[in-house]
Structures are given as C-alpha cells and as structure tokens.
Amino acid sequence: MERKFPRKIKRVVIKVGSSLLATHMMKPHERSLKSLVAQICDLQDRGFEVVFVSSGAIALGLGEMGERVRPSDTPSLQAAAAVGQALLMRLYGDLFKKRGRVCAQILLTWDDFDSKLRHSNACNTLQKLLTRGVVPIINENDSISTEEIKFGDNDKLSAMVAAMVHADLLIMLSDVDGLYKKEGGKLTEKFSEVREITDEIRSVAGGARDHNFSKGGMVTKVNAVEIASRAAVPCIIANGQTMDVIRRIVVDKESLGTYFFEKEERLIAHKHWICFFAKPKGFVTVDDGAAKAILKGDASLLLPGIVAWGGKFTPGDAVVVQDQAGVELARGIADYAKEHLDEVSDRKAKKPFIHIDNLVVTA
Ligand code: GLU
C-alpha cells in the first residue's frame, strides 16, 4: 500500500549509521557507500533536496589505524574520528565527483544549536548549499566534542538538523528493518506506523546499543523521532541494506520501515529551540501552586513560586523547571540571573521569572 505523507516531500534528511558504512574490520563498506551516493544523486535528479547525516568517522578511523576494538577513552575516539572523518569525506568526494556532483562537509556540536547565532549561521550555510545543488554531509564534530557539547549520537543530531532545515521527511537508515513489537522478550511484528511515542513504544525500543561501531540503537532513534516530530518532521526508520530503499520510500512511497507521524500539535520554532536545542544552564524548583499553573499551560512562572534553584544562569539562559520531587515539568528562558534569586526581597516580587511565551511544558 502506498504511504501517505502529510505534505509533498521536497527536502529530505537522510541519516546513515556506521554499521552500514564500515565493514566488520572497520574498513569502508564500498558497495554500501556507492549505493547511498547513487541513491542520493537519483533523488536530486528527481528534484528533491537532500541533507545527508553520515556517521562512520570513528569506525573508519579505527580501521585506518589498524585497531580492531573500539577504545573506551575519549581522546582515542576523538583521534580516530579525526582520521576517519577525513577518509570518509575523501570517499564521498570521489563518489559524488564521479557522478558530476559536489558535496560539502559540515561538522556540528550541540553548542552550535545552543547559540542562536551559530544555529542561524549553520542554517544559512545549509540553505546556500542546497540552492547550489551541493550535498551537505553532516557529522558531529567528534574530535573536539566533550561530554558537555556532545550530542552523543547521530540520531539526535539528524533530528536537530531536520528541525533546523524544516525538512519534509527524516529517514534514519541502519541495519534493522524498523521498530518491532516485543513479546516475551522476542521481537515479533514490525510496527508499520506509529502515531505517537507512548510508554509502550519507549519500552519496545529497549536499551541503548553501544557496539564496536557506534552509539545508539532503537532508543536513541525514538528519542530523535520525538525531537523531529515536535518540529513537524515525519520520520522513517528503515534498513539501509534494502535494495533502493531511499527511492522506494521517497518516490514510490512504499511502506518500508516504521513510519512515525509528525505531532499534530507542533511546537513553534522558538519553543522548539527552548525545548530541544538550548542547553539548560540550571534549574528552579517550584511549589505545588506554581507547578499546577505551569502544567495547565496558561501562566508565566512568577518569582514567588520558586522555592529552590541551582546551576549558573543569567537572563536569557534556558533553565529546567521541576517540582519538589525533582520531576521535570517545563523548560524556559530565565528573565533573571541566579544571583537575583539569592536575594530574598527580590524573590518576593510578583514578577515573571519565565514569561509564558518562553515556557514549554515538557512533563
Ligand atoms: N559521530 C560518530 C561517528 O561518525 C557516530 C555517532 C553515532 O554512531 O551515532 O563515528
């Protein structure tokens, strides 16, 4: 049966996992790379715009340096990424060139999304590349990323990119066919489509996989879907080893993989940025009255509702709002610095600490 998308697809983000790009010996998977490039060029020929999010730097870097096992320390992984990213781009550059195309490399960290200026610079660059018919190839800037500025996995990165470029579809390709139901610990039937990420979906997604090649697994994919779908980007998780998978999904609209609907009630861009892109610099704990008002979604958070706080924030920084049990209720942009809250007299003033326009309920 033909799959129905919510709107005509023009701009597609395609994310490919390391398991498709590197062999077990951590050498380039040439057939797979060739096929991906051919499929991307085919989409371009048909008038689609493609943003490509490619993993594989660490795996290929390790292979290039003659390693067999993924090390656990960060500097070794970062060194491998530096080697592998260059190799990866050389391979893509040659393959695209053979087809008369040009590709470009963009390496991002979470900081680039946290800063509105860098976010908009990245956005402008991507836009320009797409209008010039160049294929942007994006990866995390692993060689300089530390825990604080890391996405952690390219699934999340691809969702943030899809939201940033207002993609019409995000396709995450790996070596699994999609999301499967689990019965008695066994994978049974594949979900052809998922309308909403419920607790059941989260539980079948299971724990993260962290193998020789990459981080991630189903759980990081489902988290990524959540980010993309709140930005009105529908997602498909499919097997990249399936013949002509990209064309069959995008052009023939075949029901391959698992299709995740976009959220009907999408967050406007500014609130999406607060919720998913801005890194919280601290937290405030609120009393029960304020918690109720926030969850109702129609009130600002006023200073007197705050009972505790932590972290280091200044006006304009994102903060997490939590209840007295420490459960996250919302995220928002602080109007006052942490030091202001330390002054009791200031805290009693009935002024908004987070204005309703800058407050997003996440509970
Ligand atoms: N950025 C990493 C790489 O290129 C991959 C991260 C992931 O597997 O999600 O090797």
Side-chain angles (χ1 to χ4, degrees):
M1 209 179 59
E2 218 182 67
R3 192 170 257 153
K4 283 211 167 31
F5 293 115
R7 56 184 177 273
K8 194 169 176 297
I9 292 173
K10 167 87 179 155
R11 186 170 286 184
V12 189
V13 174
I14 298 169
K15 184 260 164 180
V16 180
S18 304
S19 57
L20 293 177
L21 303 170
T23 64
H24 286 294
M25 301 298 281
M26 296 194 272
K27 294 290 177 196
H29 199 307
E30 284 176 22
R31 194 161 36 91
S32 198
L33 286 158
K34 257 192 206 152
S35 152
L36 281 166
V37 170
Q39 292 186 69
I40 291 172
C41 292
D42 175 51
L43 275 199
Q44 282 191 317
D45 287 342
R46 295 171 191 267
F48 294 95
E49 292 175 336
V50 183
V51 176
F52 187 30
V53 178
S54 173
S55 302
I58 294 177
L60 294 185
L62 291 171
E64 189 73 354
M65 293 191 295
E67 307 279 345
R68 288 287 150 81
V69 185
R70 186 183 163 105
S72 53
D73 66 298
T74 306
S76 302
L77 293 171
Q78 289 181 313
V83 173
Q85 183 63 28
L87 171 59
L88 200 55
M89 285 313 295
R90 222 160 42 235
L91 295 167
Y92 284 133
D94 288 348
L95 289 168
F96 277 109
K97 199 166 180 186
K98 274 196 191 129
R99 295 179 170 268
R101 304 297 160 99
V102 178
C103 62
Q105 164 185 272
I106 300 186
L107 300 177
L108 297 170
T109 62
W110 197 2
D111 269 358
D112 300 317
F113 288 86
D114 185 36
S115 143
K116 276 206 163 160
L117 179 65
R118 282 157 75 165
H119 177 267
S120 106
N121 287 343
C123 218
N124 293 340
T125 306
L126 279 166
Q127 186 58 46
K128 190 51 97 187
L129 290 170
L130 291 174
T131 42
R132 299 291 301 264
V134 176
V135 182
I137 304 179
I138 300 180
N139 197 357
E140 177 159 13
N141 198 352
D142 293 307
S143 307
I144 60 143
S145 292
T146 58
E147 278 321 308
E148 277 150 34
I149 59 169
K150 249 183 130 38
F151 293 104
D153 62 80
N154 276 8
D155 295 325
K156 183 172 180 184
L157 171 63
S158 68
M160 309 259 273
V161 167
M164 178 165 80
V165 301
H166 306 295
D168 300 308
L169 183 65
L170 165 62
I171 304 176
M172 288 187 256
L173 296 176
S174 71
D175 52 0
V176 286
D177 289 340
L179 184 68
Y180 277 81
K181 293 182 183 154
K182 241 186 225 162
E183 273 154 40
K186 279 207 182 121
L187 299 179
T188 53
E189 198 193 332
K190 179 169 69 80
F191 286 95
S192 170
E193 49 182 54
V194 172
R195 286 191 177 267
E196 211 184 331
I197 311 277
T198 56
D199 287 347
E200 188 210 343
I201 296 297
R202 285 190 190 290
S203 78
V204 295
R209 179 183 61 169
D210 203 349
H211 64 41
N212 223 9
F213 290 136
S214 60
K215 289 178 101 60
M218 257 323 145
V219 85
T220 58
K221 287 187 180 44
V222 167
N223 290 339
V225 165
E226 187 114 59
I227 296 175
S229 66
R230 290 303 297 263
V233 182
C235 305
I236 291 174
I237 296 176
N239 194 330
Q241 291 154 341
T242 307
M243 178 82 112
D244 292 332
V245 62
I246 299 175
R247 194 209 65 229
R248 288 166 65 188
I249 287 175
V250 180
V251 181
D252 306 339
K253 303 195 173 69
E254 258 187 69
S255 295
L256 296 176
T258 300
Y259 176 57
F260 295 83
F261 284 68
E262 63 181 62
K263 273 225 176 201
E264 272 168 27
E265 180 209 329
R266 83 160 105 156
L267 286 173
I268 57 167
H270 175 59
K271 291 207 169 183
H272 193 270
W273 181 80
I274 294 172
C275 194
F276 296 113
F277 291 178
K279 255 190 297 176
K281 306 287 187 302
F283 71 88
V284 291
T285 305
V286 297
D287 63 23
D288 293 350
K292 256 193 210 138
I294 286 168
L295 290 177
K296 262 178 80 190
D298 56 6
S300 298
L301 168 60
L302 303 181
L303 283 165
I306 298 175
V307 293
W309 51 93
K312 243 185 166 188
F313 49 86
T314 54
D317 283 343
V319 290
V320 169
V321 181
Q322 60 183 36
D323 67 13
Q324 298 193 62
V327 176
E328 177 172 329
L329 304 173
R331 289 183 182 208
I333 300 297
D335 276 348
Y336 295 96
K338 177 190 169 285
E339 289 69 33
H340 188 92
L341 297 183
D342 296 336
E343 298 297 325
V344 181
S345 55
D346 288 346
R347 221 170 55 245
K348 288 207 167 130
K350 266 203 162 180
K351 288 187 187 153
F353 172 70
I354 300 176
H355 188 273
I356 185 166
D357 292 346
N358 294 325
L359 189 64
V360 194
V361 177
T362 51

